[in-house]
């Protein structure tokens, strides 16, 4: 009996002790990458060996202005092919894009009061604007400051007048991009709206944060039902304010002469280069516009974006990263004068049914990066939010914006997630679309930091998506 009790007790004790053992914890998988270290490798490589600044000097000074449908753009195309190859792209090709031929020609604007002499005003024609056929157009100027004024004016009051819109971008809005877009979308700046009221031409105050007298270009859009396409021009801030003061006191005449004309279409090219993926052919695309205005070096708009995209490829090659997915750079044709390059690329992606993981765009200048705008589903956004801690040491903290408005935008219609680099734009519209947008306005270190965080973002997507 004692033996039986001893056996039962032993079995009970062993069962009790066994039940008290702590459950074995599942070990967390060890990350394949130490992201802090990888971010530092990328930063060190670009800050020490980066070629973006030198490339920007070549593009702006040796190539120069590269307006669509001009020899300058063809020169930029060949430059892009060469530099994509040097950056390490293995597949490079040119994609045909039909673009409008618009020639600025000669242009002048003069004003005078009463019996006074004609005074020259610095001006620029809107891109794609109709001209005056090289003849002087002389009419009284009518001042308008806001949209309600335009609504209240009768056709009789507007008929045979040159309308002057002195409508500044709102200085109270913190984001200069937002203030620019609000002003740019105003019907006040529409030649079609003004023309349908019977006006002969449109003059606008340049959309700029600068306080000088340099005019800033803008593109014009005529409505299909416009019976008459009126000329449109822009003038600098100082001239705009002086002209308004004159008009509040007396009648002012304008003499406008423009030989601007459109001459059909021609073929330009998007320039595309990529490093094929080692795992699959899904595409991470980086986009920037290759063209500039006909009078400008286009340093911040968007030479900086071009060379930053090239730097991403170069850095992946230099660090020996085996990218899982294809990393592709698309340098778009004719962003300034119609946007045909971006539409053509998106159409080809749809036609070929190419799988794109994400599209990252940059077209806000080579200033210090501050974040990324995530134009994608909430589920996708939540995948990126945990990465913030890795970006913070590089001054990148803003992941809350949700609009991507650059040349990658047409890809949204294909349900492709979009990312736009957000930079400090407080100085961007001082130079935007003007002759002041030159290489010397770009800070090398700011430019390189933009390339750094772009490369870091591409690295994270490639390794995690």
């Amino acid at each position: 009996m004692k033996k039986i009790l001893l056996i039962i007790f032993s079995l009970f004790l062993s069962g009790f002790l066994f039940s008290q053992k702590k459950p074995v914890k599942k070990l967390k998988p060890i990350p394949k990458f130490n992201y802090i270290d990888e971010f530092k490798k990328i930063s060190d490589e670009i800050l020490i060996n980066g070629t973006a600044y030198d490339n920007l000097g070549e593009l702006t000074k040796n190539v120069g202005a590269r307006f669509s449908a001009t020899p300058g753009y063809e020169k930029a195309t060949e430059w892009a092919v060469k530099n994509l190859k040097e950056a390490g792209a293995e597949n490079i090709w040119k994609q045909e894009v039909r673009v409008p031929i618009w020639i600025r020609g000669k242009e002048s604007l003069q004003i005078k009061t009463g019996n006074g002499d004609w005074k020259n005003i610095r001006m620029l024609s809107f891109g794609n604007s109709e001209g005056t056929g090289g003849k002087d157009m002389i009419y009284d100027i009518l001042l308008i400051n806001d949209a309600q004024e335009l609504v209240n004016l009768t056709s009789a009051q507007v008929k045979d007048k040159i309308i002057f819109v002195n409508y500044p971008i709102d200085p109270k809005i913190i984001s200069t991009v937002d203030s620019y877009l609000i002003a740019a979308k105003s019907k006040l700046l529409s030649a079609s709206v003004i023309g349908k009221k019977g006006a002969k031409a449109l003059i606008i105050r340049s959309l700029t944060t600068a306080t000088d007298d340099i005019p800033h270009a803008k593109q014009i859009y005529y409505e299909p039902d416009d019976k008459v396409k009126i000329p449109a021009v822009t003038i600098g801030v100082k001239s705009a304010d002086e002209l308004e003061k004159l008009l509040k006191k007396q009648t002012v005449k304008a003499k406008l002469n423009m030989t601007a004309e459109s001459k059909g279409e021609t073929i330009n090219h998007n320039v595309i280069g990529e490093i094929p993926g080692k795992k699959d052919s899904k595409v991470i695309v980086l986009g920037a516009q290759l063209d500039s205005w006909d009078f400008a070096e286009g340093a911040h708009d968007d030479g900086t974006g071009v060379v930053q995209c090239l730097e991403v490829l170069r850095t992946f090659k230099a660090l020996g990263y085996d990218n899982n997915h294809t990393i592709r750079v698309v340098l778009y044709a004719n962003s300034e004068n119609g946007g045909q390059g971006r539409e053509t690329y998106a159409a080809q992606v749809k036609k070929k049914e190419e799988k794109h993981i994400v599209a990252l765009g940059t077209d806000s200048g080579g200033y210090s990066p501050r974040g990324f705008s995530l134009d994608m589903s909430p589920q996708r956004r939540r995948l990126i939010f945990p990465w913030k801690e890795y970006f913070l040491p590089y001054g990148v903290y803003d992941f809350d914006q949700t609009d991507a408005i650059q040349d990658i935008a047409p890809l949204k219609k294909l349900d492709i997630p979009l990312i736009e680099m957000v930079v400090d734009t407080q100085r961007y519209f001082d130079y935007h679309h003007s002759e002041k947008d030159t290489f010397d306005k770009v800070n090398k270190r700011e430019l390189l930091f933009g390339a750094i965080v772009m490369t870091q973002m591409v690295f994270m997507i490639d390794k995690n998506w």
Side-chain angles (χ1 to χ4, degrees), residues 218-244:
K218 190 179 183 302
Q219 188 194 357
I220 199 168
Y221 295 94
Y222 294 112
E223 298 296 334
D225 62 343
D226 286 346
K227 294 179 180 178
V228 177
K229 297 178 180 179
I230 66 171
V233 305
T234 178
I235 62 177
V237 169
K238 285 187 176 180
S239 288
D241 288 340
E242 290 171 5
L243 180 54
E244 177 167 352

Side-chain angles (χ1 to χ4, degrees), residues 104-362:
R104 182 179 299 279
K106 296 179 180 180
E107 54 190 19
S108 66
L109 173 64
Q110 296 175 298
I111 63 170
K112 78 168 184 175
T113 58
N115 295 320
D117 296 328
W118 289 105
K119 177 186 176 183
N120 288 316
I121 302 292
R122 294 189 67 176
M123 54 82 80
L124 282 173
S125 303
F126 276 52
N128 275 340
S129 175
E130 291 292 314
T132 67
K135 298 178 181 179
D136 289 338
M137 176 185 283
I138 303 175
Y139 292 100
D140 289 345
I141 301 175
L142 178 63
L143 171 67
I144 297 176
N145 290 109
D146 61 56
Q148 192 58 47
E149 281 186 68
L150 179 62
V151 171
N152 294 339
L153 286 169
T154 65
S155 294
Q157 291 172 302
V158 176
K159 183 177 172 57
D160 294 337
K161 297 291 194 302
I162 292 178
I163 303 299
F164 166 49
V165 177
N166 195 20
Y167 182 58
I169 63 175
D170 191 341
K172 301 187 300 299
I173 299 175
I174 303 303
S175 168
T176 58
V177 174
D178 289 345
S179 59
Y180 176 86
L181 291 174
I182 291 169
K185 292 176 182 178
S186 171
K187 290 182 178 180
L188 278 171
L189 309 186
S190 167
S192 290
V193 172
I194 303 294
K196 286 172 183 175
K197 284 270 190 177
K200 292 294 184 180
L202 171 65
I203 302 171
I204 73 161
R205 175 196 186 101
S206 286
L207 300 182
T208 176
T209 48
T211 55
D212 54 30
D213 204 37
I214 306 297
H216 294 242
K218 190 179 183 302
Q219 188 194 357
I220 199 168
Y221 295 94
Y222 294 112
E223 298 296 334
D225 62 343
D226 286 346
K227 294 179 180 178
V228 177
K229 297 178 180 179
I230 66 171
V233 305
T234 178
I235 62 177
V237 169
K238 285 187 176 180
S239 288
D241 288 340
E242 290 171 5
L243 180 54
E244 177 167 352
K245 288 178 183 177
L246 286 174
L247 285 165
K248 287 183 175 179
K249 297 177 182 177
Q250 58 202 302
T251 298
V252 181
K253 286 189 178 295
K255 183 198 295 185
L256 181 63
N257 192 309
M258 299 161 53
T259 63
E261 60 179 332
S262 297
K263 290 191 170 184
E265 293 181 328
T266 189
I267 298 295
N268 277 173
H269 296 87
N270 291 333
V271 186
I272 305 171
E274 65 184 22
I275 303 173
K278 305 301 185 292
K279 176 182 174 184
D280 57 46
S281 59
K282 296 176 182 178
V283 178
I284 298 171
V285 68
L286 307 171
Q289 69 176 73
L290 184 57
D291 63 315
S292 74
W293 282 96
D294 51 318
F295 51 81
E297 290 181 9
H300 279 294
D301 186 20
D302 183 28
T304 53
V306 169
V307 299
Q308 285 169 335
C309 289
L310 294 172
E311 189 66 15
V312 174
L313 293 188
R314 189 201 69 79
T315 304
F316 262 74
K317 281 291 188 178
L319 293 177
Y321 287 142
D322 287 331
N323 44 295
N324 292 325
H325 315 296
T326 294
I327 301 175
R328 178 182 295 172
V329 167
V330 181
L331 305 180
Y332 293 101
N334 196 36
S335 180
E336 299 293 13
N337 206 35
Q340 288 82 358
R342 56 180 172 259
E343 296 294 344
T344 298
Y345 180 76
Q348 286 298 306
V349 171
K350 182 178 181 180
K351 182 178 179 180
K352 294 181 178 180
E353 298 183 341
E354 283 189 316
K355 176 64 177 177
H356 280 48
I357 296 174
V358 75
L360 194 163
T362 171

Side-chain angles (χ1 to χ4, degrees), residues 414-442:
L414 306 180
D415 293 324
I416 296 170
L418 307 183
I419 301 176
E420 182 180 320
M421 184 164 69
V422 175
V423 302
D424 184 343
T425 59
Q426 296 307 316
R427 290 175 289 153
Y428 181 59
F429 292 99
D430 285 7
Y431 311 128
H432 179 252
H433 290 183
S434 81
E435 64 184 37
K436 295 191 299 178
D437 187 9
T438 50
F439 177 61
D440 60 290
K441 305 301 191 308
V442 178

Side-chain angles (χ1 to χ4, degrees), residues 80-92:
V81 170
K82 168 180 168 290
N83 280 268
L84 278 166
K85 184 176 181 180
E86 290 178 358
E90 296 173 26
N91 301 325
I92 301 171

